[in-house]
Structure formats: C-alpha cells, structure tokens
Amino acid sequence: MNKPDKTIREKLLELNKPNQSYKDKYEKEIKKMLEKKLNYFWRAGFVVLSIIGLLVAIPFLKLTFSKIGHNELGMFIRSITVSGAALALAWMVLMGCIAVTGNLNLRNQPARMATIGIAFGFFFILYLMLVFIFPKALNESTDRSIIGIHIALIGFFFVVTVALCLIIRVLHRIGFKTCEKLLEIEYRLADLTDKLEGK
Amino acid sequence: MAEKQAIYFELLILRCRRGQKDALEELVKSWEKPLFYYIHRLIEDEQEAWGILQETWIKVLQSIGKLREPNKLPVWLYSITRKTVISHLRKKYSEKVLFEGNDNLSKIENYDSDHTFENAEQVHYGLSKISLLHRDILTLFFLRDLSIEDIAQVLSIPIGTVKSRLYYAKLALKDVLEKEAQKP
C-alpha cells in the first residue's frame, strides 16, 4: 500500500457507476464460469456413464455372492469383487450426480473422478481377467499352484496400485486441509495481535 | 497488518486451488471493483471493459495454481488485467500509438511534486483527459493496491522509471485540472 488513507480509492471506485445491464450480463457469465452447467448432450453422456457403472456393479455383486469362492483364493477374489462393486457403484453415483445437477466443478471433480476412474479401471480389467482368462488358464494348466501364484501376484499388483492411488489422494487432501487449518489459525492470531495493538 | 494480509491472500489462494466455490467467489467479489475501474480507465467502451474483466477472470482461474507467491496476489492480478487490456488495445491500435505521451511538459512551471489529489471527482475526471501512458500508471497509483515496487512489476519497468513517469503523470493531471478550473 502506498498510504494508509484509502478514502480516495473508495471514492474513485464509487464514482465508477456501472451500467446495470452490462454488469448483470457479466455476473451471469462469471456465475456460469465458476459453476459450469452441462448441456443436455453432456448430461446424457454422464447418464450413460452412470448406467455403465451400474451394469458393471451387477456382475461384480453376482460374483461376490456366487459359488466362486470354493478354492483357496475365494476370500481374496471375493474381497476384490466387493471392492469392484463398491467402486462401480461409487462411479455410478458420481456420474449420476453430475448428470442430475449438471454441475461440473472443473477444478475439484477431475481429480476425484480420475481416482475413482483409475481404481475402477483396474478392477474392471481384473474382472475381465477373472471371468475370461483365468478360468480358461486354470482348465488348461497342468500346474494349478503356479497359476494360483500368478493370480495372487497380479491381484496383489492391482490392489496395491489402487490402494496407492487412494492413499496419495487422501494424503494430498489431508495436506491441503492441514495447511488451510494452520493458515486459519495464523490469520486469527494476526487478527488478535492487531486488535490488541489497537490498530 | 501486511503480515495479516499476506496470510489472508495465502489462505484464499489455497482455498481457490482446492476448488472451493466460495473462495473463488470471494476472490472475484473482492477484486472485481478495482480491476474494473482500472480496465475502464484504459478502455472507454464499458461493455468491452466488462468483457475484458471476464476474460481476465478466465485467465486468473486457469492459472491460479501457478501463483507461487500468494502475497503478490495484487501484482499478479493487475499484471494479468493489464496484459489482457493491452492485447485488446493492440487489436485496435499500433504499439506506438498505445502508450504515446502527448503532454507538453515545458508549459508547466513551478510544479509542486508533493501535490496531493484529494478530490476524487476531479481525479476521476482528470484521468479520462490525460494520455493512456499517464492514465495507466496514475490509476494504479490512486487505487492504492500496489506499492511503487509493485507498480514497476506490473508495468515491467524499473522503479526509477515508475517514479519519473508518476511525476510527469501527476503534472499532466494537474495541468488538465487547472485548465478545467480556468474555464468559465
């Protein structure tokens, strides 16, 4: 600041009387910019994505409650299918919310969508492998224990990757929140100091 | 006070980066008036000025993650605003015409450099009558958001040049106001 006297600044700003119709138009545009509303074409796209989430969640749930868990990898596969179903449902809800509200926060949601999307993608791939590749391999293989280890390793890789994605995302959010809280405390302290000094 | 303001800017920028809508609204609300005043002093057409302000906000929101020094928020905002205004003006006029000084300084004698412009209405009127070069720097000066060093950063010129340009701009403004006062 050049000088503590802000009077001339305030007076100048008051003198600049805007045309209300131009200002209204500008405010509408700014509102749109901060909260991007999707058109019907985009909303329909998000409805489709939501339905895909539901369609993927159904076989996952079916697998979870089916008799697939008879061999020693049963619990492991079941935990994967449960997680897969949960992520598919989360995807369905997220896409559904965007489709219904038409709000797409361009700064906040992509990260959340990417996290769920990546996790969902990994589970979807794993699901395809479990349904189409592994049963065939199990039938054709002569040494089932090696196949079992392969499945466990691949599954472990997917689970670890998904877990890492989620942990990084959570840590990132915690970091931001902690920093925000610290700054809020610092700001309050500075405010109190100013008040005590009689400024 | 400066420390408190720096913390406030840091907190606001952090919240904007997190995509908090209320923080983005707060940023826009607290800065739209001075930025619009600055734009409107450089661009006569009000509709165009609002359009430029909107364009400025698009740039601000797109690049808010790149702001490394939140305490420099005013400098950053005015820099983006000025660049947006200049790119608009360039479409209309050549660079030479843009910031051409047209003040006949030799005519002004015995000028008190510490002259303070207390009458906001006169300043507001006078700003519209001086050259774009002087209007640019004087508007930034009167809006009181920036120090001389900050103005130098916004205009991308040395501090010494800011001081001399301010001196001549004040001379020009005083000249305009005196001429206006002499009118019957």
Side-chain angles (χ1 to χ4, degrees):
Chain A
M1 301 285 163
N2 294 324
K3 285 175 188 177
D5 173 31
K6 282 187 177 179
T7 320
I8 193 154
R9 176 188 199 268
E10 283 161 7
K11 282 181 185 172
L12 283 174
L13 295 181
E14 278 168 16
L15 283 166
N16 203 32
K17 290 200 170 46
N19 179 312
Q20 202 53 46
S21 64
Y22 294 151
K23 200 182 176 205
D24 288 346
K25 196 180 162 197
Y26 154 82
E27 280 173 351
K28 265 187 193 169
E29 292 295 325
I30 291 293
K31 202 179 168 188
K32 262 192 218 169
M33 201 168 74
L34 294 177
E35 195 180 82
K36 196 183 174 187
K37 286 265 182 191
L38 300 168
N39 61 27
Y40 288 110
F41 177 76
W42 277 99
R43 282 191 189 199
F46 280 101
V47 169
V48 171
L49 287 173
S50 181
I51 292 168
I52 289 173
L54 179 69
L55 291 177
V56 175
I58 291 167
F60 267 127
L61 287 168
K62 205 178 164 189
L63 264 176
T64 307
F65 299 109
S66 68
K67 298 272 183 186
I68 199 163
H70 276 312
N71 58 40
E72 65 262 31
L73 295 173
M75 278 308 286
F76 172 69
I77 292 170
R78 197 164 288 182
S79 64
I80 289 171
T81 54
V82 168
S83 309
L87 281 160
L89 289 171
W91 178 262
M92 184 195 79
V93 171
L94 183 68
M95 294 300 110
C97 284
I98 295 169
V100 170
T101 59
N103 294 336
L104 182 64
N105 187 329
L106 291 171
R107 277 157 293 280
N108 204 18
Q109 275 178 347
R112 204 181 303 159
M113 281 165 64
T115 310
I116 297 173
I118 290 165
F120 181 56
F122 281 134
F123 274 99
F124 188 63
I125 292 163
L126 185 62
Y127 160 70
L128 291 175
M129 289 171 87
L130 284 168
V131 172
F132 298 109
I133 301 165
F134 292 143
K136 201 179 169 191
L138 283 167
N139 287 334
E140 287 172 6
S141 174
T142 50
D143 188 351
R144 289 193 175 199
S145 64
I146 291 169
I147 297 293
I149 291 165
H150 280 173
I151 293 169
L153 282 174
I154 292 164
F156 182 72
F157 166 75
F158 281 128
V159 171
V160 167
T161 314
V162 170
L164 270 177
C165 283
L166 293 172
I167 289 166
I168 288 166
R169 170 77 184 142
V170 169
L171 285 177
H172 192 62
R173 284 189 70 180
I174 290 171
F176 261 128
K177 270 206 159 175
T178 313
C179 196
E180 193 183 335
K181 288 285 165 206
L182 283 172
L183 281 169
E184 271 174 15
I185 294 164
E186 248 185 276
Y187 184 75
R188 279 180 200 159
L189 280 173
D191 193 37
L192 268 173
T193 314
D194 274 2
K195 279 175 186 166
L196 284 171
E197 284 172 0
K199 281 184 183 175
Chain B
M1 195 71 180
E3 194 197 355
K4 189 182 157 189
Q5 198 182 41
I7 298 166
Y8 168 73
F9 286 152
E10 202 172 335
L11 186 60
L12 184 65
I13 297 303
L14 183 81
R15 287 169 60 218
C16 286
R17 279 180 190 159
R18 284 188 67 196
Q20 290 181 5
K21 202 185 152 211
D22 56 342
L24 294 165
E25 281 173 351
E26 193 179 325
L27 178 74
V28 172
K29 272 272 165 260
S30 51
W31 285 97
E32 72 180 1
K33 267 192 171 184
L35 293 183
F36 179 70
Y37 188 88
Y38 177 54
I39 295 168
H40 200 20
R41 295 284 70 74
L42 303 178
I43 305 273
E44 213 175 319
D45 185 337
E46 190 183 334
Q47 196 174 7
E48 201 183 340
W50 282 115
I52 292 170
L53 183 58
Q54 194 188 322
E55 204 178 307
T56 303
W57 285 125
I58 293 171
K59 289 178 185 172
V60 166
L61 298 180
Q62 278 172 347
S63 54
I64 201 146
K66 292 175 194 163
L67 178 61
R68 293 281 162 256
E69 293 177 90
N71 59 330
K72 288 276 174 193
L73 178 69
V75 179
W76 186 68
L77 286 174
Y78 278 106
S79 297
I80 292 177
T81 308
R82 189 171 186 271
K83 279 175 193 162
T84 314
V85 169
I86 288 175
S87 74
H88 269 259
L89 287 171
R90 271 188 190 141
K91 287 173 195 165
K92 286 185 180 174
Y93 316 103
S94 71
E95 183 105 15
K96 201 184 164 192
V97 176
L98 262 184
F99 291 107
E100 195 178 56
N102 59 0
D103 310 283
N104 196 347
L105 301 166
S106 57
K107 283 182 182 176
I108 305 161
E109 287 169 3
N110 302 323
Y111 174 68
D112 170 21
S113 63
D114 289 330
H115 180 85
T116 50
F117 297 91
E118 295 293 341
N119 190 326
E121 275 182 43
Q122 282 184 353
V123 170
H124 185 69
Y125 169 80
L127 283 174
S128 62
K129 301 290 171 193
I130 57 176
S131 72
L132 193 62
L133 180 82
H134 291 154
R135 213 184 309 155
D136 186 17
I137 198 163
L138 267 189
T139 308
L140 291 174
F141 175 77
F142 283 120
L143 284 175
R144 300 283 198 259
D145 288 320
L146 306 169
S147 64
I148 298 292
E149 289 79 14
D150 291 341
I151 292 175
Q153 279 187 50
V154 171
L155 303 180
S156 306
I157 52 173
I159 293 169
T161 313
V162 171
K163 285 177 181 170
S164 69
R165 206 181 273 186
L166 259 177
Y167 173 80
Y168 289 118
K170 282 181 182 176
L171 278 180
L173 181 64
K174 192 170 179 270
D175 187 39
V176 164
L177 296 178
E178 278 176 357
K179 277 177 185 167
E180 194 61 31
Q182 282 165 9
K183 278 183 186 174

